Amino acid sequence: MLLHLKNIFKWVNSGGQRVFLLKDINLEVEEGEFISIMGPSGSGKSTLLNLIGMLDGFDEGEYTFLDEPVHTLKEKHRANLYKEYIGFVFQSYHLLDDLTVKENLEMPLLYKKYKGAERKAMVADMLDRFNIVGKKDLFPAQLSGGQQQLVGIARALISSPKLILADEPTGNLNSKQGEEIMELFKQLNNEGVTIIQVTHSEKNAAYGSRIINLLDGRMI
Ligand SMILES: Nc1ncnc2c1ncn2[C@@H]1O[C@H](COP(=O)(O)OP(=O)(O)O)[C@@H](O)[C@H]1O
Ligand SMILES: [Mg+2]
């Protein structure tokens, strides 16, 4: 099993009251799955995705990732875990504006032990694979939304994560660009990468093999 969430609760305190963001989430994900998280705005989809990605914590329950008990790990160990195994794709690209495409792609590798020449080769591979060699010295603002999202995905993939977490990855794209991204996810999934995406689109959800529905922080 890749990951296991057991009786997870997350809340915030507001005016002396607990406001639950996630309630009793139980989820097992096997390697190679392609899961879509759906639900109305405010139902907790992003909160759940960030929790799985270890960007956010939780208040009760247990989270196991590749046999590691995430809930008991020290911050540094936890950061190593997600940097090694998880790639994030966000709706709004999250590219660094003052870095070129090439430099943005290189970012996740700087935290790892690759030598300069290895990093260069990996970036060149990604530019090639995503057909953006000609864009390598441009800044994000000089690209279309679709191209920025491609760079965002390439950056998420560059260190060969086992798990891709994507929060409405086609949200800012036109339907053709969106389809291309979904086809790319399908291909990656066929190569063995596990994917968990948040989506509003039934059509995008159909690319996956399982749908999780959230309502008011609960799986239904
Ligand atoms: N840090 C926070 N403090 C208080 N409320 C939050 C916090 N983060 C998220 N929320 C609330 O939790 C609910 C779920 O948010 P979110 O996970 O972003 O929903 P979704 O992605 O499904 O639209 C929303 O009502 C949001 O306002
Ligand atoms: Mg959201």
Side-chain angles (χ1 to χ4, degrees):
M1 197 184 317
L2 178 63
L3 67 91
H4 186 186
L5 301 176
K6 200 173 160 199
N7 304 121
I8 296 280
F9 289 77
K10 182 175 174 69
W11 62 75
V12 290
N13 291 311
S14 168
Q17 293 228 347
R18 268 185 194 173
V19 177
F20 284 87
L21 307 186
L22 294 174
K23 281 183 220 155
D24 201 18
I25 300 290
N26 289 283
L27 177 63
E28 296 182 14
V29 179
E30 301 290 344
E31 278 195 47
E33 283 203 83
F34 186 164
I35 295 177
S36 303
I37 302 177
M38 301 191 81
S41 183
S43 58
K45 303 182 297 296
S46 297
T47 305
L48 178 57
L49 205 72
N50 290 344
L51 189 155
I52 294 171
M54 306 177 206
L55 298 179
D56 279 335
F58 49 95
D59 298 288
E60 220 174 274
E62 293 173 15
Y63 177 15
T64 314
F65 186 92
L66 288 172
D67 291 331
E68 301 265 15
V70 175
H71 50 288
T72 65
L73 295 179
K74 294 238 164 56
E75 176 53 32
K76 188 156 187 277
H77 190 161
R78 190 162 51 232
N80 288 339
L81 199 59
Y82 72 71
K83 280 178 194 158
E84 169 120 31
Y85 294 113
I86 301 180
F88 292 92
V89 180
F90 301 95
Q91 177 176 16
S92 49
Y93 324 128
H94 281 234
L95 299 176
L96 296 168
D97 290 334
D98 49 358
L99 297 185
T100 63
V101 166
K102 198 173 63 185
E103 291 163 345
N104 265 284
L105 289 182
E106 194 178 8
M107 278 299 283
L109 302 176
L110 296 176
Y111 302 110
K112 300 198 168 178
K113 54 203 172 303
Y114 300 111
K115 298 202 179 74
E118 286 176 301
R119 291 202 302 269
K120 228 172 151 182
M122 291 164 87
V123 169
D125 270 357
M126 274 295 152
L127 289 168
D128 213 23
R129 170 160 194 183
F130 284 79
N131 270 318
I132 46 176
V133 177
K135 314 282 180 204
K136 67 179 177 359
D137 295 317
L138 298 184
F139 292 91
Q142 297 172 297
L143 304 175
S144 72
Q147 290 164 344
Q148 290 185 51
Q149 190 59 305
L150 276 181
V151 175
I153 294 175
R155 186 185 55 181
L157 290 176
I158 197 158
S159 48
S160 304
K162 273 183 183 294
L163 172 63
I164 298 274
L165 298 174
D167 199 347
E168 303 189 42
T170 67
N172 285 319
L173 305 181
N174 68 36
S175 60
K176 181 165 171 291
Q177 293 168 326
E179 232 167 82
E180 282 169 11
I181 300 298
M182 282 301 116
E183 286 297 332
L184 176 65
F185 278 5
K186 193 164 97 180
Q187 187 191 330
L188 289 165
N189 182 242
N190 287 338
E191 292 166 13
V193 179
T194 308
I195 298 177
I196 304 179
Q197 68 168 351
V198 167
T199 183
H200 280 117
S201 147
E202 296 281 350
K203 199 168 157 213
N204 287 359
Y207 279 87
S209 44
R210 175 150 68 115
I211 294 177
I212 290 167
N213 280 295
L214 281 185
L215 186 65
D216 297 334
R218 231 180 236 291
M219 281 171 65
I220 53 169

